[in-house]
């Protein structure tokens, strides 16, 4: 049984970079973008299309649909745990940075959490782009050594007898956590279930709660 407190301030929700550094990067990106447009190497339409895909088509709502399907369909769940890439493709998600997805199931005995200790590998088609804290050195270095402490910083406390497993993503394997279906959701539709699954639940730093 896990509890979750949304009021706990979370140190990882700050970026590694300060505002000045972010501004410098933004200015650089703007310059590169103007040059690419000026030289006719990309079109404004293509750039907008790309931004739109990352903002609207790829995102945690896709992962949430995968989780909800697994909660209502045992056969799908089996396929998902057995070969996540193909099972996820059944729902129409796949492609760049999602070629080899492995799903780890949370149970009353085991809680899974995902990191990329080297950089920021992440399953884009189902979770979108990684949040800044996921890419931060603080998270990457601490979660492998003191996962329970990091979970506590996200407001997640697990019973002492729950085993915490940390999965290190790589260019070859991207992990997704299949959270536990919360109590009191027995009569939820698949759509209603998908609506309560948040990005951080699928990274494993939080657990799904009923709002
Ligand atoms: Fe990485």
């Amino acid at each position: 049984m896990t509890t979750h407190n949304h009021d706990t301030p979370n140190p990882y929700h700050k970026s590694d970079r300060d505002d000045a550094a972010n501004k410098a990067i933004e200015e650089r990106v703007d310059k590169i973008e103007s040059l690419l447009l000026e030289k006719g190497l990309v079109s404004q339409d293509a750039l907008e299309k790309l931004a739109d895909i990352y903002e609207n088509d790829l995102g945690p709502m896709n992962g949430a649909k995968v989780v909800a399907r697994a909660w209502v369909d045992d056969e799908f769940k089996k396929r998902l745990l057995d070969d996540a890439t193909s099972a996820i493709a059944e729902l129409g998600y796949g492609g760049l940075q999602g070629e080899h997805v492995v799903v780890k199931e949370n149970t009353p005995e085991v809680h899974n959490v995902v990191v990329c200790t080297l950089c920021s590998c992440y399953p884009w088609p189902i979770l979108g782009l990684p949040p800044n804290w996921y890419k931060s050195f603080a998270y990457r270095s601490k979660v492998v050594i003191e996962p329970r402490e990091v979970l506590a910083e996200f407001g997640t406390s697990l019973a002492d007898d729950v085993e915490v497993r940390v999965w290190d993503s790589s260019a070859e394997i991207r992990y997704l956590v299949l959270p536990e279906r919360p109590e009191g959701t027995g009569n939820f539709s698949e759509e209603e279930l998908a609506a309560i699954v948040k990005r951080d639940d699928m990274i494993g730093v939080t657990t799904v709660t009923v709002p």
Side-chain angles (χ1 to χ4, degrees), residues 43-202:
S43 71
Q44 189 72 49
D45 275 2
L47 276 182
E48 271 160 26
K49 183 96 201 281
L50 206 60
D52 184 64
I53 287 172
Y54 280 102
E55 277 164 24
N56 300 311
D57 296 347
L58 303 178
M61 59 287 212
N62 294 351
K65 285 180 193 156
V66 171
V67 168
R69 175 65 57 86
W71 282 346
V72 300
D73 181 342
D74 273 342
E75 288 303 314
F76 178 78
K77 182 173 140 183
K78 269 185 214 150
R79 294 198 295 279
L80 184 68
L81 296 175
D82 184 49
D83 177 356
T85 311
S86 327
I88 289 166
E90 290 175 32
L91 301 191
Y93 312 128
L96 196 63
Q97 309 295 321
E99 292 93 344
H100 302 286
V101 180
V102 170
V103 170
K104 295 292 175 184
E105 182 187 16
N106 284 349
T107 67
E109 293 80 35
V110 177
H111 182 91
N112 298 285
V113 58
V114 179
V115 64
C116 175
T117 53
L118 279 181
C119 45
S120 56
C121 298
Y122 194 73
W124 292 1
I126 40 176
L127 289 187
L129 297 176
N132 277 331
W133 60 259
Y134 182 86
K135 299 185 273 185
S136 75
F137 180 71
Y139 176 76
R140 292 187 286 123
S141 53
K142 194 171 175 186
V143 76
V144 282
I145 303 166
E146 299 175 297
R148 275 175 186 277
E149 211 159 295
V150 170
L151 290 175
E153 284 161 343
F154 278 88
T156 307
S157 58
L158 303 170
D160 287 342
D161 59 351
V162 176
E163 182 194 340
V164 180
R165 291 185 190 156
V166 181
W167 299 94
D168 193 358
S169 309
S170 67
E172 284 76 40
I173 298 179
R174 311 293 165 102
Y175 293 99
L176 182 83
V177 174
L178 174 58
E180 278 187 275
R181 179 170 174 167
E183 278 170 40
T185 57
N187 56 357
F188 278 37
S189 68
E190 188 175 336
E191 222 176 9
E192 289 169 325
L193 287 169
I196 60 169
V197 180
K198 303 283 179 294
R199 176 194 70 200
D200 293 2
D201 306 334
M202 295 178 278

